[in-house]
Every structure is written in C-alpha cells, then in structure tokens.
Amino acid sequence: MVAEIVSGLEYSKKVLTEVGEAIAKTREHHPHFESVLAIVQVGNRSDSNVYINAKLKKAKEIGANGKLIKLPDTITQGDLKREIMALNHDNNVDGIIVQLPLDCKHDIDADYIIDLIDPLKDVDGLTRINAGRLARGELQRTIFPCTPYGCLYLVQQATGNPNFVSGKEVVVLGRSKIVGSPAAALFLWHHGTVTICHSKTPNIKEKCLRADILIVAIGRKHYVKADWIKPGAFVIDCGINVGDDPTSRKIYGDVDTEAAKEVAGYLTPVPGGVGPMTVAMLIRNTYEQAKRRRLPGKESNSTWNVEYLKPTLLNPVPSDIAISRSQLPKDIEKVAGEVGIHPDELDLYGRKKAKVSLDILDRLTEVKNGKYVVVAGITPTPLGEGKSTTTIGLVQALGAHLHKNVFACVRQPSQGPTFGIKGGAAGGGYSQVIPMEEFNLHLTGDIHAITAANNLLAAAIDARMFHESTQATEALFNRLAPKNKQGVRPLSEIQLRRLDRLGIPRVNDAEHLSEEQRVSFARLNIDPATITWNRVMDTNDRFLRKIEIGLGPNEKGHTRTTQFDITVASELMAILALTTSLADMQKRIARIVIGSDKTGNPVTADDIGVTDAMTVLMRDTVRPNLMQTLEGTPVFVHAGPFANIAHGQSSILADKVALKLVGQDGFVITEAGFGADIGMEKFFNIKCRYSGLQPSAVVLVATVRALKMHGGGPSVVAGAPLKHEYLDENIPLVEGGCDSNLRKQIENANKFGIPVVVCVNKFATDTDKELELVCSKAKSYGAFDAVVSEHWSQGGAGAVALANSLVKATEGPAKEFKFLYDLELSLEEKIATIAREIYGADGIELSDEAKEKIERYTRQGFSKLPICMAKTHLSLSSDPTKKGAPTGFTLPIRDVRASVGAGFIYPLVGEMTTMPGLNTRPCFYDITIDPVTEIIDGLF
C-alpha cells in the first residue's frame, strides 16, 4: 500500500479560489464590500515575517485586504491592549490575529491578549469564547481554529465524503490550545470517537494503531513511525520542526513521512500539507465574518433568533407598573445580540438599557432598509387614544407572533408629565416598554445633557451682553484674543469661523486685524428684545414661565425679563431628533439663532462661541437607547421633542439604525405625536425631508370614544367621569365622528401617497356594531384596511390582525411618496398650504407681528425651511372646542418663530405653553420607594 499524498497546496488553492470568487460575486451587488484581516505583530522575528507575508500575499491575490500592525519589541501589555481594543472598534476590520510567539522584551500574557479580541473578529478561533463554544459543540456560533479547520477540510475533500469522520476512531497526539485540543473537539462534534494523547499517556503506540484518523501535533521530529500507523489510516501531520543543519533550515514533520507512506491510506506532507491550509482557512474565516458583519440577512437566513417573552394575561387588567414588574426582562446584552448588535457597539447603563453606537450605520451600509411605518391618530380626546400602546402592541404582534424582524422607535418621556398629571408610561396594559421605572426615570441622561448644554448657551448669552456693556472695545478684544507667551494672539477654530461669517480673511495672529475688524469681531451687539433662547429644566414649574434675571449686585443693574421652558421644548431636543450624525448635530448647534443684533442680523450659537462646548456636553446623546417591550422585542427610545412647537418625533438616527438592523423584510414602527394633522404632517414634511427615508405605511389610530366626541358628544374632561354617551352604544355619534374627523384624517394621509391602515383601539365599553361601523366607514373613505385591535388587554396577540393587515399593505413595490409642499414656496404660502390642505381652513390671517417675523426670516435667508405648525392638538382648527372636521374658518397666525438649528420655522396658532404647571394633586403624591428593596411604586 502506498499512501495518497494529500497536498495542502492544492486544496488551499481551491479554498482561496472559492473565497475570491465569493468576494467578487458579493461585490457585484455590494460594490463597497471588503474583507479585511488585521495582523498584529510584536517585534521582528524572521520566521513571523515569513508567515505574515504569506498571509498578506494570499489575501491580496484573491481580492481580500490585509493590514499589518507592526509594534516594537518594547511595547507594554497595556499599550498592546489598547491596540487590540482599537481594532475591535474599527468597523473596517473584520478579522484580527495576533502573531505568536510575541517577540517582546517585556512580559506579556499572550492568552490575556488573545482574549481581548472581539469574538466576532477572532478569525483564529483562539479566544476563550470561541474555544468554549467549540468545546460545547456550538458549531453554528463558533469560528473554527484555522489549523484544525484545515485538517477537517483535507479529510473531507481527499476522501470525497463530508461525513467521513462520523463513526471513525480519531487519535490526536498533542493537546495544545492552538491545534491538539481544538482539533479533538472539532472532530468529536463531527461524530468521531476521539482520544487525546500527550506526553503522560501510556501505551501511545497501541492507541495510535487503533486510529482511523491520526492527527499529530506533538512537536517532535519523526516521532510517529510506520509501525504506529493502522494500515489505511488518514494521517495528518501538523508538526513543524527545523532540522539539525543550521545552514539548510529544512522543515520536518512529526511523522516519519517516507516510512509512513508504505502504511497509511492518506498522508499530509511537511511542508506543503497543513501549513497552506491554515492560511487558506484564516482568509476564509475572515471573509465569512466580513459577510456576517457587513451583510447580515443577505447571505443567510435574515430572521432574528429572538427569545420572546410571554405575558401572563389577567382580567381585569392590572396597573401598568404591576404588569411591567410581573415580567422579568432579558438582559439588554441578550436583546442586542439577538438583533445583530455587536458587543463593541453597546454601552451598558445597568442590565436593562444601553446606548448603541452609530458605527452600525457604517457596518451595515450595504444592507437595504426595512419597511418604515408611522403610527398617527385621529384628533384625540384629552385622555389620549393609545398611539403609544398601539405602537408597542403592533411591534409585539409582528415580532413575537408573526416572527418578523421588527423595532419600535419611541420618544423618551419627560420628567414633567411623569411627576405631573399624566404619570409615566410607554404604552400601557400588556403593550408597553419595560422596565417601566428605567424608562421613565432619567434613562441614560440624555435630557439632563440637553439641559446642561441649553443652559450653557443661555448663560453665555447674558455673560456676553454684560461684558460688552461694561468694557471698552480694546479691553473686550484683548480678553477675547489674549496674547500668548510669544506675544501672538491665536484664535480658536470657532473664532476663526466668526471671521469667515464677517467676511474677514483668517489670520494666524489676531494682532493683524484692523481696528474696524476688531470691533466687528469683538462686539455682537445683541438686541435683548429679540432674544428667543430661554433657560430650561425638566420639571413642571409654572412660576418660571416669566422671570427677571440679573438682580444680583454684581450684575450692575443689567436685568432683563425672560423665562424657563421645559427641557423637551428646547431647540436642542428638536436638533437631537433631526440630526443624522454627531458632525451634523454640531453644524445644527452652530446655526442656532438666539436673537438678532441691533442692525437686524441673526446672532448664532457659533457667534457666541459655545457651539463645540455644547456638542461636547451632548456627544453621547446622539446614540439611541436600547430597551425592550413586555414580549421581548427591541425598542429604541431616543429624543422627545414637544409635539406643538417642535415636530414631536423620536430620532432619525434611531429609525436609521433600526431600519438597517431589521433588514429588507423587517419593519420599523415609529410614532408621531398628537393627531395626524400635526404629528403625521410633521413626520412627512420635516422628519422625512431631513432623513431621506421613504415611509411605507401609516397606521391611523381611532377610538369609538373619540369618534363620539367628534360626532357631537359632550366634552371629555381629564379627571372627570365619562358621560353616558361614551359608556353606552350610540351609533349616530359614531357615524358623525367617522364622517367628519376620521374621514378627514384618512384623506390627509392619502395626500402623501402612502397606504393607510386604520387601527380601531378597542375599549371595554365599545359594542360590536360601533366597531363594525368604524371599520366599514374607514375603508369607504380610502383606508387600505381597518382592523379592531385589543393589544392593551391582550398584548401582541390582540394586534395580530392589525399586523397582518400592515404586512399586506406594505407588500409589493413601494408607493410613490410625495411632500405636501415645495420648500421653494414662500413661508406664507407654505403655512397657507398646510392650513388649507390638512386643517380644512379657507386660508390664514397673519398678525402684524407674524408678518414682521416672516419678512425678517426671509431677509435673513431662512425662507427655504419647512414649516412646523404650533397649534392645539384637540381640533383641526385653532379652537380646541371645535370638533369633527370644521370648515369655513380662517387660521389665525399670531406669531412666527425660527428654530434654525433644528431646521424649521414654527408659526404660532394661539397661545403655546412651553412650561407646563403642576396641578393641585400631581402624580408625585403616589410615587414612592421601598428603602430596603428599592422597589418603586406609583409611577402609573
């Protein structure tokens, strides 16, 4: 018998050719796809240089990329750790290996360094996580170590049988962490009967003679002789031993090759056997990880493997906090892993919430977006009609019951309503975000960061006016641009940007500015009467609606009247919701107009000099906050702008990240604040303009209660018992509401070219006849479908019909989405278009103040911004008492203001309160904490 020599060179070429073809094919659909291997080398060992060059050369030959991070032999363990961590966080790197042995003058724990590698980038398969998974047989989650993987491949290919190992006696000589132990585990889980032998094993020869497959990795030249080998066995020689002649440097294996040929059935040579396969499998592993990281859902099954949570449904339905507390949430790391968020893309805030890195957008740039759905509502009663509850219930139905990839994107609640009249909530009943306490109390601190940044600008405005009024121009200039020790007046970047806006050429030394230029540079000359930037806090405090500042003796009589707003009314909150990156947020903050100077020109945050400091305070806020629903589906909680003076939406960034994570066949469900005439209109005309995202459908929430009110029913007052009309069947009232408000809101949605699914949120007092009437009417007025939903009392199971209807509405080619107005129209024309088309008004009436503001903003160059109407949410008109779908009215515009940083103009229709007040008995009476268990009660 003469053994078949199994050429690793031949089979490695086959592997590399397949990988090269796969990369080329992937690039046909994803031109920017890369497969990048990073090799970390410490020192300059010549043998390491040979191995590294071979890896880099082979990668380049097939269209993959390799990068060498060569570090000096003087590096410390701490510095090497930082290099590894940087590669972990580099989205352009798919695989990381550390070349061993480390050639270093300092003691470095190589095992510790290897374990620092992100398991998803551990293409050598040597971290404890991958080794543990392999040992446990979790082959679908394991990156196989390259040399054992190459051994297995050679056996399968040479025999032509992928199941050749199954049932065979496998003996492994050597128990190293790199070859022996992982090879034993790999062959074991391919159903071989494995024996590991080592230096302490008795009767090694006899054990080897039983082997159908003999893997030798013992590190001793020609250790295994021919009489150790079972006739016809498959012998894999992993040894690399240098010969005794120092001039030849000939390489020998652990097997006496010439003798073994006469006995074995298959034999791998040294060199040219396992060595080339190790390189090939390393490059193959890197490609597989690049595909998994960069193209999730494209090359494999795109459905998430989510552990859904099953609520225990009770009747009557308990309080929201009781329901939340009855469900044990998953750790947020598990939620993240289930939806494809990598560990290095997650910053934990405890065990149930985390911030998510925007690097996901770069990693998944080639992944197509999922379906994008907005939940809006008819004009609500003061009690609300359940848009948030519908959002969460729908997501639970799509995920836990239809097994779709789905994300909810909702706003972060303010502390104001939490401790005021509304109480905390994110949905309700069996359709809510959990844990409720985490959701409602601080979350990850975004609102506090906005408060700090907002008030920094407010303080800077008053300080600048004070210093300008109390100093001569020369003294003011000297303090703004002081000389350094070299006698030079260097300007910061933000000061150089002010020169740009003034049309003054940049200088390296402000000493070179002329006297006139110094005056222009140093004096902002803010007109106090035009200041629109207020201080904020996240508490309902009516006594801060109007205040006088500067009353201290050191302010020298520089007083002025101003006010506090609640933090979620800050323009910074609107900026956060509309920004598309940290860099974009910085630019938006720079453009904030805080007022005008005494010649009528706008004064910006950049003029004040505080842009970059504010961005620093808000740097973490741009990352969405990850939580989960009661049934274990993922939720992004991010941003929470007012829905009257701002657009009332969660963030563009949360939507964008979610759309990539769910993949092409998944769904992202987000909510628009207030009724569709406000929230949905702003979602389309403002949010979708800045995001560039294509909406797929509208879910329009209606209730029998609200329709009865619009059909002529008595007033609904928060805190007062409902009148009998709302508790008993009343078909005429329901019909009147359908023919007015429901009809108009469906028509409004259809103006944008997007299909509308009406969700009739069922209450216990609704009758079948009333519900059937609403569904029939909705479809007759142009809704794609209308479905009764019981998600509040039944969770996701109660919204399955709604979910199925939404899936049908979004099937097929995307509908042609269109904006309501062109940005090139004048501000007045855009305002009038919204009033006529969405509210049903005959036209608008501008006050003198509104006319003056429109003229000013047009002159200042802001006329191309979209419109964000600030009006009551309780009526389509400006009068909250007018229900249904009023006609024959003129919309009064009493004032117009600009949020230039956020990117919209907001006309004021009536009085808008930007600082809510506490009622006689606020919610905080009921909120308490057990000091022993730290359990919070009374949130809702």
Side-chain angles (χ1 to χ4, degrees), residues 798-839:
V800 168
L802 176 64
N804 279 319
S805 179
L806 177 64
V807 171
K808 291 178 184 177
T810 56
E811 287 175 345
K815 305 298 188 293
E816 185 181 351
F817 170 65
K818 52 193 175 187
F819 296 116
L820 185 68
Y821 54 80
D822 192 311
L823 292 180
E824 295 300 316
L825 294 175
S826 70
L827 292 176
E828 183 175 349
E829 288 174 307
K830 285 182 282 197
I831 296 168
T833 298
I834 295 172
R836 287 193 306 268
E837 297 294 327
I838 301 298
Y839 308 152

Side-chain angles (χ1 to χ4, degrees), residues 702-705 707-708 711 728-740 742-743 746 758-762 766-783 785-788:
T703 63
V704 168
R705 178 180 66 192
L707 290 169
K708 286 180 177 179
D728 302 327
E729 183 175 275
N730 193 316
I731 297 297
L733 288 182
V734 176
E735 188 169 23
C738 289
D739 292 342
S740 57
L742 180 62
R743 171 192 57 78
I746 293 171
V758 171
C759 166
V760 188
N761 192 10
K762 183 179 179 181
D766 300 342
T767 69
D768 290 342
K769 284 185 179 180
E770 290 173 331
L771 296 169
E772 290 168 5
L773 175 64
V774 177
C775 291
S776 173
K777 286 282 188 179
K779 286 184 274 191
S780 72
Y781 288 129
D785 198 2
V787 180
V788 176

Side-chain angles (χ1 to χ4, degrees), residues 38-77:
I39 303 173
V40 179
Q41 180 185 12
V42 176
N44 194 36
R45 283 177 58 119
S46 58
D47 54 349
S48 291
N49 291 337
V50 172
Y51 300 145
I52 290 168
N53 288 336
K55 295 167 186 173
L56 295 176
K57 180 181 177 183
K58 292 298 182 185
K60 185 176 181 180
E61 285 176 358
I62 65 162
N65 292 323
K67 58 186 293 187
L68 173 62
I69 296 87
K70 196 161 188 174
L71 305 171
D73 61 3
T74 56
I75 196 169
T76 65
Q77 182 163 296

Side-chain angles (χ1 to χ4, degrees), residues 80-372:
L80 182 53
K81 174 182 176 179
R82 281 184 280 277
E83 293 286 347
I84 299 296
M85 299 308 290
L87 291 171
N88 282 343
H89 287 87
D90 187 346
N91 268 320
N92 293 317
V93 170
D94 303 293
I96 305 169
I97 66 167
V98 176
Q99 185 67 39
L100 300 175
L102 299 173
D103 177 23
C104 191
K105 294 178 179 178
H106 300 290
D107 289 334
I108 293 180
D109 184 342
D111 289 336
Y112 169 77
I113 293 298
I114 294 295
D115 261 341
L116 292 173
I117 297 173
D118 181 343
L120 291 172
K121 296 186 178 185
D122 172 30
V123 289
D124 246 349
L126 298 180
T127 62
R128 282 185 174 89
I129 290 177
N130 275 313
R133 288 172 177 168
L134 178 58
R136 289 168 58 92
E138 299 174 12
L139 302 189
Q140 297 302 317
R141 303 176 60 215
T142 305
I143 301 177
F144 297 153
C146 300
T147 300
Y149 193 13
C151 294
L152 177 65
Y153 184 86
L154 287 176
V155 170
Q156 293 170 329
Q157 292 293 313
T159 63
N161 182 2
N163 297 313
F164 183 81
V165 176
S166 181
K168 299 295 191 299
E169 289 279 350
V170 182
V171 175
V172 180
L173 268 63
R175 55 181 174 180
S176 73
K177 289 176 282 189
I178 296 176
V179 180
S181 294
L186 186 61
F187 278 71
L188 171 67
W189 292 110
H190 280 78
H191 311 299
T193 302
V194 179
T195 302
I196 301 180
C197 298
H198 47 79
S199 60
K200 304 298 182 183
T201 302
N203 304 318
I204 290 182
K205 177 179 177 181
E206 287 75 9
K207 290 181 170 61
C208 290
L209 279 167
R210 298 202 302 266
D212 299 308
I213 302 172
L214 180 62
I215 304 170
V216 188
I218 206 149
R220 294 173 64 178
K221 175 184 173 184
H222 290 178
Y223 181 73
V224 173
K225 310 298 183 182
D227 59 352
W228 288 39
I229 300 170
K230 179 181 180 180
F234 200 123
V235 180
I236 304 172
D237 190 349
C238 302
I240 301 177
N241 305 284
V242 180
D244 298 329
D245 184 353
T247 60
S248 69
R249 304 295 292 174
K250 187 175 179 181
I251 301 298
Y252 297 89
D254 290 350
V255 177
D256 186 346
T257 304
E258 292 303 317
K261 285 180 184 178
E262 305 301 322
V263 183
Y266 300 88
L267 177 65
T268 64
V270 176
V274 172
M277 289 304 305
T278 299
V279 175
M281 294 324 224
L282 175 67
I283 294 171
R284 179 175 177 172
N285 279 348
T286 303
Y287 165 69
E288 292 295 334
Q289 291 310 107
K291 186 172 65 174
R292 184 178 301 176
R293 291 180 67 254
R294 299 174 189 255
L295 306 173
K298 289 298 168 187
E299 310 300 329
S300 59
N301 182 8
S302 62
T303 303
W304 295 336
N305 183 19
V306 177
E307 177 194 347
Y308 296 110
L309 307 178
K310 189 173 182 180
T312 302
L313 304 179
L314 299 177
N315 189 10
V317 177
S319 68
D320 289 351
I321 190 69
I323 292 172
S324 173
R325 194 165 292 148
S326 70
Q327 185 72 284
L328 179 64
K330 297 176 286 188
D331 283 352
I332 204 65
E333 288 174 287
K334 178 176 176 60
V335 176
E338 289 173 341
V339 302
I341 299 170
H342 295 171
D344 63 304
E345 295 167 340
L346 202 67
D347 284 335
L348 300 176
Y349 283 70
R351 296 172 60 189
K352 308 305 177 189
K353 58 189 177 184
K355 277 197 167 290
V356 173
S357 172
L358 299 182
D359 290 345
I360 292 174
L361 293 173
D362 293 328
R363 174 168 65 85
L364 304 183
T365 185
E366 297 290 344
V367 176
K368 291 184 178 179
N369 288 340
K371 309 289 195 310
Y372 190 33

Side-chain angles (χ1 to χ4, degrees), residues 678-814:
I678 299 179
M680 182 193 70
E681 182 271 315
K682 294 175 182 178
F683 174 84
F684 288 142
N685 285 318
I686 298 176
K687 187 176 181 181
C688 289
R689 278 190 204 271
Y690 285 121
S691 70
L693 297 174
Q694 169 80 35
S696 306
V698 175
V699 172
L700 187 69
V701 179
T703 63
V704 168
R705 178 180 66 192
L707 290 169
K708 286 180 177 179
M709 179 189 71
H710 289 298
S715 297
V716 177
V717 180
L722 287 170
K723 302 291 177 60
H724 74 87
E725 288 89 342
Y726 297 102
L727 303 176
D728 302 327
E729 183 175 275
N730 193 316
I731 297 297
L733 288 182
V734 176
E735 188 169 23
C738 289
D739 292 342
S740 57
N741 198 269
L742 180 62
R743 171 192 57 78
K744 178 58 176 166
Q745 298 289 27
I746 293 171
E747 289 175 359
N748 285 346
N750 284 330
K751 289 178 189 292
F752 297 91
I754 302 301
V756 182
V757 175
V758 171
C759 166
V760 188
N761 192 10
K762 183 179 179 181
F763 290 3
T765 54
D766 300 342
T767 69
D768 290 342
K769 284 185 179 180
E770 290 173 331
L771 296 169
E772 290 168 5
L773 175 64
V774 177
C775 291
S776 173
K777 286 282 188 179
K779 286 184 274 191
S780 72
Y781 288 129
F784 174 86
D785 198 2
V787 180
V788 176
S789 192
E790 299 183 74
H791 42 272
W792 179 78
S793 60
Q794 297 180 23
V800 168
L802 176 64
N804 279 319
S805 179
L806 177 64
V807 171
K808 291 178 184 177
T810 56
E811 287 175 345

